[in-house]
Each structure stands twice: as structure tokens, then as C-alpha cells.
Amino acid sequence: MTPTLTQPAAPAPRATAVDVDAAELVRVRDLSRVFDVSKPWLNRMIEREPRKLLKAVSDVSFSINKRETLALVGESGSGKSTVAKMVVGLLRPTSGQVRIDGLDMWAGGDLTALRRRIQMIFQDPYASLNPRWRVDAIIADPIVAFGISTDRAEIEHRVGELLRLVGLDPLDGRKYPHEFSGGQRQRICIARALSSNPEFLVCDEPTSALDVSVQAQILNFMRDLQDQLGLTYLFISHNLAVVRHMANRIGVMYLGRVVELAPTQDIFRQPQHPYTRMLLDAVPDLAMSGRPRKMVEGEIPNPIDPPTGCTFHPRCPLAFDRCKREVPIALKTGFDRSVACHAVEEARG
């Protein structure tokens, strides 16, 4: 029997942050990852240097409902991609928990069936495709690896169906990745990700390597696919203009921590954390509203030796003494909204 794509009879409405009846698919709790970047033991002994630990992610928590898109944004080095790799199972967390549809990703046991439901779209479409494989072999690889089908005719039909779904011709399967444009290569990556019939896609800056016009095409295509196939997205980006188009909720990360988590419209209408305001001020004001804007100042600190207390305090215009001493805890500031900031807690900003 020829496998077919799972499609609802009619497009369902996109899950929103206020949809309290939506089923939870992904739950991340207190996720942390520490990398040992020390020199070899003998070098440390001779040079009398201590171990150096890099805290890439610290106590990150969030959940994603089915058919919903959660975006993680922040500057380079904020820990977004590290979170993504831990969620899909490419990187083991130092502590914390990742549960997909109630199953613990790191509890042990056979998780083949669970991993089949999760796929990842990488940042560089050319680097993530094997240049020596034809496109049809690339797309068929998850089908074979997960044992979805072993019949050659069925696999060929499935690959052709996926190529049509992403706007390419089945005959394109005979070509190699270098014969396509950047946007077409990203469509091939999406077709490969869809080949195992996943429910959850982690998209790690899937459009940052593409031209602006091609970015819009890919983003619109991904939204259409979500409505058509009922997909759930974790969307990683440093571009707030992109996630405004894609996400139901946004988590803002800074130096390994989520500093603000809120519905997309709330983030853009009334940002609470000073870092979120700084990121929004960096987005071009195409409407020419005349709103006062503050340029991004300073650079993200060294994660090996981060500032004490709130790691954002050296760059924060609202910082006071408490910020230098205490790490802020995420506080609920509304329905489905939280922010980790002493200045917000004390109504200073």
C-alpha cells in the first residue's frame, strides 16, 4: 500500500497562546547545558589553571501546544541553537527534562517511534545536504532509516509526492544539491524533514542564509504546511520581524536564560524586559511611526565568565544594585506571560 501524507480534511485554526484546551506536545523544564572548555589536565597542572565551564543554557522552561509555533529569539551566543539540539535529542542536557507528548527524551529505552515524530530543519540548506547524494536519495533516507517502507516503488512514489508538496518536480529528484538555488535547497530540506511524517519540527534559523525575497516565500510555505499537516514548530531566529510572521508565542533568550516569554502580539505591543525593548528598537520602523528608539549598546558577555546577578545588567538602562547581586526569577505578569527582571518586578521601568 502506498504511504500518503497525513492531512486533515479541512485546515484547522492555528493554535494560539490563549487556547487553553489545546493539547500540550512539548514540555521543557529547567533545561541546562554546561560545556567543559578547559585545557587538558596536564596543561592545567603545569600552568596552574582551574577548569573552565561554559554555561550555554541555564534553567530554561517552556511548553508548546500542538499546531502552535513557539519562537526563541536573541543575539548570537544566547543559547538558542543549544536548546534546539537538546530538544531534538542531538545533545544531552546537563540537567533538566524534555518531554515530547509525555515521553521523556532522556529517560532511556527505545525511543525510535518518538524520534520519528521529530525532525529538524537546519540553518544552511547546502551544508545540511550530502553533496554526493541525489535529491531522491536524500529525501528517502529517513523513510529507510525508520523502516517506514522497504518497497522501492513505494519509496519513489513517496519521494515524488513530497517534492510536489514543496513545489518541486519529481524529476528534480535525479539532480544533486548544487544544481538548485538556495530557496530550492531549503525546500528539499523541508521535504526530507517531512518524509517521516513528523508532528514536531525544530527550525534552527531556516531562512537566515537566504535572500530576503526567498525568505518570505519559505516562511509563507512553512505556515501553509503547518495549517495543512497540523505541524508544531519550535522556531529559532535572531530576527524579530521573521518571528512576528511565524510565531504564536515568543521566548526572548539572553546568555542562556529565557528573560521574557509572552504571546507575539504582547511582545510587540508592550515589551516588558529591557532586552526585549532593545531588540525591538533594532527592527527597522517601516511605518515611520516616529517612536523614540534606543540603539543596541554593548556586546553579549563572555559565557565562561558571565556578570554576577542579572547577566544583562552591564547593558541595562534600568539596572540598580539588586541587579548586580541577585539572579532574577521569572514572574508571571499576565496570562501566559512571564518576565525575569528586577526592574519590572519593582515597577522601575
Side-chain angles (χ1 to χ4, degrees), residues 27 57 75 82 91 134 169 174-176 184 199 213 297 316:
R27 176 179 288 267
V57 176
E75 294 170 287
T82 304
L91 187 64
R134 292 193 333 189
D169 191 280
R174 301 176 183 176
K175 300 178 182 178
Y176 290 86
Q184 290 173 323
E199 298 174 37
S213 59
E297 297 178 352
C316 181

Side-chain angles (χ1 to χ4, degrees), residues 131-341:
R132 298 187 178 186
W133 284 20
R134 292 193 333 189
V135 166
D136 53 5
I138 290 172
I139 297 174
D141 189 44
I143 300 174
V144 176
F146 287 112
I148 298 172
S149 176
T150 57
D151 183 84
R152 184 172 181 178
E154 290 183 358
I155 294 175
E156 288 180 356
H157 180 85
R158 171 78 168 177
V159 170
E161 186 183 29
L162 287 163
L163 285 170
R164 288 192 192 94
L165 182 68
V166 299
L168 299 176
D169 191 280
L171 294 177
D172 289 331
R174 301 176 183 176
K175 300 178 182 178
Y176 290 86
H178 71 271
E179 300 180 71
F180 295 89
S181 67
Q184 290 173 323
R185 284 195 288 262
Q186 195 61 288
R187 288 174 181 263
I188 294 168
C189 293
I190 294 172
R192 177 181 59 185
L194 295 175
S195 62
S196 64
N197 262 341
E199 298 174 37
F200 177 46
L201 289 181
V202 176
C203 311
D204 187 6
E205 307 232 25
T207 60
S208 63
L210 305 176
D211 292 337
V212 175
S213 59
V214 180
Q215 285 185 23
Q217 295 175 15
I218 296 297
L219 292 173
N220 287 326
F221 173 64
M222 291 178 66
R223 284 197 57 171
D224 291 342
L225 278 180
Q226 183 175 34
D227 292 335
Q228 185 180 3
L229 303 178
L231 300 173
T232 303
Y233 290 148
L234 173 61
F235 198 92
I236 309 297
S237 181
H238 63 274
N239 190 335
L240 277 168
V242 167
V243 300
R244 185 175 194 173
H245 178 76
M246 288 293 298
N248 302 104
R249 289 184 299 135
I250 296 176
V252 182
M253 291 192 66
Y254 186 79
L255 211 64
R257 294 182 180 272
V258 175
V259 297
E260 186 168 1
L261 181 63
T264 302
Q265 61 269 23
D266 292 346
I267 287 283
F268 281 87
R269 186 187 306 123
Q270 191 177 13
Q272 294 183 335
H273 197 281
Y275 181 59
T276 308
R277 298 176 193 171
M278 184 181 293
L279 292 179
L280 287 172
D281 283 343
V283 177
D285 186 8
L286 299 180
M288 293 185 289
S289 62
R291 178 177 60 87
R293 303 165 71 87
K294 182 177 178 61
M295 297 298 294
V296 176
E297 297 178 352
E299 296 181 358
I300 196 165
N302 185 351
I304 299 177
D305 185 24
T308 58
C310 175
T311 54
F312 185 62
H313 83 258
R315 304 171 66 185
C316 181
L318 304 178
F320 56 106
D321 289 341
R322 183 184 175 190
C323 301
K324 301 176 183 179
R325 300 191 309 267
E326 301 178 21
V327 177
I329 299 173
L331 300 174
K332 297 283 288 185
T333 58
F335 178 75
D336 202 28
R337 182 167 196 177
S338 62
V339 62
C341 179

